[in-house]
Amino acid sequence: MARRVEGRNRFRDFFLCSLPVAFIMAFVYVLVSSSIFGFYAPHIQSPFDNKESNFIDKMLDALNGTTTTSDSDTLSIDAIRKKEPSLSWRVEDEVESSEDQMDNNFGHGTWTREGGGQVLNDTPEKLYQRRMRQERREKRAKELMNKDNLQALEKAAIQRSKSIDSVAPGNYSIWRNDYRKGKNFEDLLHLMQDQIIMVRVYSSLAKTTNNIALHKELEAKLAKMEEEQEESTNIDQQQRVLDTIRDMGQLLSRAKEKLYDCNLVTNKLRAMLQTAEEELVSTKTHTTFLNQLASKSIPHAIHCLTMTLNLEYSLLPAPMRHFPRMENLENPDLYHYALFSDNVLAASVVVDSTVTNADDPSLHVFHIVTDKLNFGAMSMWFLLNPPKEATVQVQRFEDFSWLNSSYSPVLKQLESEAMKRFYFKTERSESAESGAESLKYRYPKYLSMLNHLRFYIPKIFPKLEKVLFLDDDVVVQKDLTPLWSVNLKGKVNGAVETCGASFHRLKSYLNFSDRHVSERFDPEYCGWAYGMNVFDLGEWRKHNITETYHFWQNLNENRTLWKLGTLPPGLMTFYNLTVPLQKKWHLLGLGYNREIDVKKIERSAVIHFNGHSKPWTELGISKYQAYWTKYASLEHPYISSCRLLE
């Protein structure tokens, strides 16, 4: 019973509180409606126009009680008050007790019978709270019904009605205020592009239905719209675009009346979409082909530099071709680097950046291996530009008598006609039609033996115990000496892991449908980066790493286990033999990722321009090139004469 009484009390209070609010909301609704109808339909008489029957004045007078109205007047407060309320909600401030009074106070009030119903008698506390609420309601009502507030509401309603877009959805001639004023020019251009699409649709339909006159008119308008898109976006141009859109909207409306058929328009749009998708795929494929062509081609400036240095080296007397400090080449107490490159300028940046940031350059030894075409240029550059007190050695891999096809299966494969046809498929159209995904596997860089020498480091340097391998597209920004103190924990390779994302795990590089792969490797095993690697050559020889590499190369003769480069066989060869280094030592992606944080670049010891956008080519990402050109000696007479990066 107590809960029933409490529920009734709450409902009664809510009803009494909501009644004035509902009355005011109804008044505002009538006010806004009258304003809107007055704006859109001037010929309809507004309640505000007739002063004798002014709606607002009558409402004000009725609410304030300043006029006397008859009981029959529906707007009269007296009439509302005199209406008999439900017996369930009749409240008596003072009620005498009777023999039928119910003893259900519970601290909330009492109930009495009156007129056949039960009436709630509030306690003094409840009466006081109700009286205060009523006073607050009356105060808010007076503030709301102030004439200044009514005028503000009326103005707001009129302003709102002006902003309503009365154009029917789907109309090709969207003509809102913001378009007329030319404030959103980008939106105008998007609207023009949509109209161009529909013009092409209706132009095709007009030609198909032999409506030649309309077809010619649409084609003429289409040419004008495309011309408007190409011109500059000044104020006069915006006005011309507005005029063109308006005219085109009218023409499209006429075309729609004559030619519109839902099935025909839908089929035409689908055909246009399919054609656009095919063109996009073809464009992406040709773009990939051209990017690879540009990236694997030798820039004119580097070719010029190489030829100039080769000529100088050929004229250099034999006694002057020797490098100093050759006694350091096998000293195990020094820091030895392995660098395999046919790019003299790139190799010079690697060496110069390493020496510049080294605490003691005299402790660093650089072993550079190149091919016979670039041996003279590479040697001449470092003879003319010795890297401070550091030691440099230049070799050519053709002089390694042990490196032959009978010993190295990869060399045997690289010399095969099938491999050459695969990598040097010169027909441009066939290469493009093969798809962008297949094109990346036909990168002749992977055909170079210099790219595979990293698996023969202990054979090239038989008396060394630890080597730091560097790619020729890196820049060193910190002293790398601490890397020789890294504990490899009995493993062979120290490298930075790259499995922050799922696509850098083994399953992304290897064919796990082949049993040779699926039975030996975990597809979720984390990948790591080539380009800056610490190799323990003692452990290398102990685990017979080179022979493991040969084993996998023989199995992959038909490219069934992997297709791309030297990283997949490296992941297999050094499986469970790699120690992860801290991320700060090696940062990748400067050759393809344009969103690398500058702070991350600056705190990295080695930054790697892996990808097609090499910094010494026109494809290089401009905001990263300064990190490379800082060490490129652009003012050197030989480099400046070849006009590098001009």
Side-chain angles (χ1 to χ4, degrees):
M1 188 65 182
R3 286 195 294 269
R4 185 186 304 172
V5 171
E6 183 178 359
R8 281 194 156 190
N9 289 339
R10 291 179 180 174
F11 188 74
R12 179 205 62 193
D13 292 341
F14 172 78
F15 178 81
L16 293 176
C17 180
S18 302
L19 183 59
V21 176
F23 187 76
I24 293 170
M25 289 178 62
F27 166 70
V28 174
Y29 172 79
V30 174
L31 174 65
V32 174
S33 301
S34 62
S35 301
I36 293 175
F37 283 113
F39 177 77
Y40 280 105
H43 59 278
I44 300 176
Q45 185 177 10
S46 171
F48 299 105
D49 296 335
N50 189 348
K51 294 184 179 180
E52 295 180 359
S53 60
N54 191 297
F55 183 78
I56 295 179
D57 292 340
K58 293 183 69 174
M59 292 295 294
L60 287 171
D61 295 338
L63 288 173
N64 294 328
T66 57
T67 61
T68 58
T69 57
S70 63
D71 294 346
S72 62
D73 193 339
T74 58
L75 296 177
S76 172
I77 295 297
D78 293 334
I80 295 175
R81 288 175 178 171
K82 289 181 179 180
K83 287 185 178 180
E84 290 294 329
S86 171
L87 292 176
S88 300
W89 302 110
R90 186 179 304 165
V91 179
E92 297 288 343
D93 292 337
E94 297 179 0
V95 180
E96 296 181 358
S97 301
S98 65
E99 60 181 1
D100 296 330
Q101 184 177 3
M102 300 178 65
D103 187 17
N104 291 324
N105 295 337
F106 297 102
H108 297 286
T110 59
W111 290 87
T112 60
R113 297 183 181 276
E114 181 177 327
Q118 292 184 352
V119 181
L120 175 65
N121 297 320
D122 282 340
T123 62
E125 294 83 0
K126 287 290 182 179
L127 291 172
Y128 174 76
Q129 294 175 1
R130 184 151 51 88
R131 188 163 54 251
M132 295 300 295
R133 285 196 298 270
Q134 184 63 26
E135 291 177 358
R136 289 195 296 269
R137 292 192 204 105
E138 292 175 356
K139 183 179 179 180
R140 288 196 298 268
K142 289 180 180 179
E143 293 176 353
L144 183 62
M145 300 311 298
N146 185 285
K147 288 189 176 182
D148 294 336
N149 291 339
L150 288 175
Q151 292 177 359
L153 289 172
E154 182 180 353
K155 291 180 179 179
I158 293 174
Q159 190 65 28
R160 173 60 184 160
S161 67
K162 290 181 179 180
S163 65
I164 296 177
D165 185 8
S166 59
V167 178
N171 195 327
Y172 297 119
S173 182
I174 301 174
W175 206 241
R176 298 185 303 199
N177 289 334
D178 51 355
Y179 287 145
R180 285 198 291 267
K181 296 175 182 177
K183 292 182 178 179
N184 298 313
F185 193 72
E186 292 297 327
D187 292 341
L188 283 176
L189 293 180
H190 289 313
L191 175 58
M192 182 182 287
Q193 291 172 357
D194 292 341
Q195 286 186 330
I196 288 175
I197 293 174
M198 294 310 302
V199 168
R200 289 173 177 166
V201 170
Y202 284 123
S203 177
S204 176
L205 294 179
K207 187 176 181 179
T208 303
T209 57
N210 205 26
N211 198 331
I212 305 302
L214 182 58
H215 170 70
K216 291 182 178 180
E217 188 176 0
L218 288 168
E219 288 295 319
K221 287 290 185 181
L222 179 61
K224 182 179 179 180
M225 294 185 77
E226 292 177 343
E227 180 181 352
E228 292 288 349
Q229 279 191 315
E230 296 176 357
E231 295 182 3
S232 59
T233 58
N234 51 43
I235 298 177
D236 295 337
Q237 173 63 17
Q238 293 186 24
Q239 186 59 45
R240 288 198 298 272
V241 170
L242 289 169
D243 295 339
T244 303
I245 291 176
R246 183 188 61 244
D247 296 341
M248 184 56 70
Q250 297 173 357
L251 179 59
L252 283 172
S253 297
R254 289 196 288 112
K256 181 180 179 181
E257 293 177 359
K258 294 182 179 180
L259 303 171
Y260 182 78
D261 180 272
C262 184
N263 291 331
L264 290 177
V265 172
T266 302
N267 292 336
K268 184 60 181 178
L269 287 172
R270 286 177 177 172
M272 291 172 63
L273 178 61
Q274 182 176 356
T275 302
E277 289 177 348
E278 292 175 354
E279 291 177 354
L280 179 61
V281 172
S282 177
T283 301
K284 285 184 176 180
T285 303
H286 281 283
T287 300
T288 303
F289 175 81
L290 294 175
N291 283 338
Q292 290 201 357
L293 180 64
S295 63
K296 69 189 179 185
S297 302
I298 301 175
H300 170 76
I302 295 180
H303 178 72
C304 168
L305 178 63
T306 302
M307 294 298 100
T308 302
L309 291 171
N310 273 330
L311 178 60
E312 293 291 336
Y313 186 78
S314 65
L315 300 175
L316 190 67
M320 299 180 64
R321 296 182 180 182
H322 299 291
F323 288 93
R325 295 181 289 275
M326 289 294 98
E327 66 277 4
N328 294 332
L329 296 181
E330 297 177 356
N331 187 345
D333 297 326
L334 301 180
Y335 308 125
H336 296 266
Y337 298 85
L339 176 61
F340 309 135
S341 175
D342 58 358
N343 187 328
V344 59
L345 187 59
S348 71
V349 169
V350 175
V351 174
D352 186 55
S353 63
T354 306
V355 172
T356 300
N357 294 287
D359 292 340
D360 187 357
S362 64
L363 299 178
H364 298 263
V365 182
F366 297 89
H367 303 268
I368 302 174
V369 180
T370 186
D371 54 23
K372 60 183 179 181
L373 295 177
N374 295 277
F375 175 77
M378 197 77 71
S379 300
M380 192 65 193
W381 175 265
F382 288 106
L383 287 172
L384 293 174
N385 305 280
K388 298 182 180 179
E389 297 85 10
T391 303
V392 174
Q393 177 193 27
V394 179
Q395 304 178 78
R396 51 185 179 186
F397 75 84
E398 289 89 351
D399 292 337
F400 301 150
S401 58
W402 49 266
L403 188 60
N404 51 62
S405 56
S406 61
Y407 170 71
S408 172
V410 67
L411 186 60
K412 180 180 179 180
Q413 295 172 16
L414 295 178
E415 292 176 350
S416 67
E417 290 299 324
M419 187 71 72
K420 290 179 180 178
R421 282 196 303 271
F422 178 78
Y423 280 106
F424 290 101
K425 204 169 189 177
T426 56
E427 295 86 352
R428 174 178 166 181
S429 59
E430 292 183 12
S431 297
E433 291 169 2
S434 64
E437 190 66 20
S438 299
L439 273 174
K440 67 181 182 181
Y441 302 130
R442 291 184 167 89
Y443 194 20
K445 172 185 175 182
Y446 307 127
L447 194 60
S448 171
M449 193 61 202
L450 288 172
N451 198 46
H452 296 268
L453 286 180
R454 62 193 68 190
F455 294 102
Y456 299 97
I457 290 178
K459 196 78 172 177
I460 299 172
F461 312 112
K463 296 185 179 181
L464 298 181
E465 292 298 322
K466 184 172 282 190
V467 165
L468 180 61
F469 169 77
L470 294 175
D471 264 341
D472 64 356
D473 54 354
V474 306
V475 174
V476 179
Q477 301 186 125
K478 310 287 183 183
D479 181 27
L480 300 183
T481 301
L483 286 173
W484 272 265
S485 302
V486 173
N487 183 8
L488 295 182
K489 303 175 183 179
K491 297 189 177 181
V492 181
N493 178 27
V496 171
E497 291 183 336
T498 59
C499 59
S502 61
F503 57 83
H504 281 148
R505 300 182 185 274
L506 247 63
K507 61 184 178 182
S508 302
Y509 300 99
L510 305 178
N511 178 20
F512 274 86
S513 63
D514 190 289
R515 64 178 183 83
H516 296 97
V517 176
S518 59
E519 292 176 359
R520 290 175 171 84
F521 302 100
D522 178 8
E524 298 297 327
Y525 185 78
C526 188
W528 44 267
Y530 258 133
M532 193 222 65
N533 306 83
V534 181
F535 290 123
D536 187 330
L537 302 188
E539 292 295 329
W540 184 308
R541 298 181 183 99
K542 179 180 177 181
H543 289 88
N544 208 6
I545 294 298
T546 302
E547 291 304 318
T548 302
Y549 169 68
H550 287 171
F551 170 79
W552 291 114
Q553 280 289 352
N554 283 325
L555 284 179
N556 194 51
E557 184 174 3
N558 295 323
R559 299 182 300 280
T560 56
L561 305 186
W562 73 87
K563 295 182 179 180
L564 179 63
T566 55
L567 180 57
L571 296 174
M572 302 171 78
T573 301
F574 295 100
Y575 185 69
N576 286 331
L577 294 173
T578 300
V579 172
L581 300 177
Q582 294 180 353
K583 297 286 186 180
K584 67 178 183 179
W585 286 113
H586 189 191
L587 176 65
L588 296 102
L590 277 75
Y592 65 88
N593 186 357
R594 299 176 182 272
E595 306 299 330
I596 302 177
D597 187 4
V598 174
K599 294 181 179 179
K600 186 181 291 187
I601 296 175
E602 293 176 350
R603 66 171 175 258
S604 299
V606 175
I607 55 176
H608 197 165
F609 290 84
N610 58 311
H612 293 312
S613 301
K614 301 301 183 186
W616 55 81
T617 68
E618 294 182 1
L619 296 176
I621 301 174
S622 57
K623 65 179 180 179
Y624 301 148
Q625 282 183 311
Y627 296 102
W628 185 84
T629 56
K630 179 180 179 181
Y631 303 99
S633 304
L634 297 181
E635 297 180 357
H636 191 281
Y638 287 168
I639 296 179
S640 60
S641 64
C642 290
R643 299 180 179 179
L644 180 68
L645 300 179
E646 288 187 6

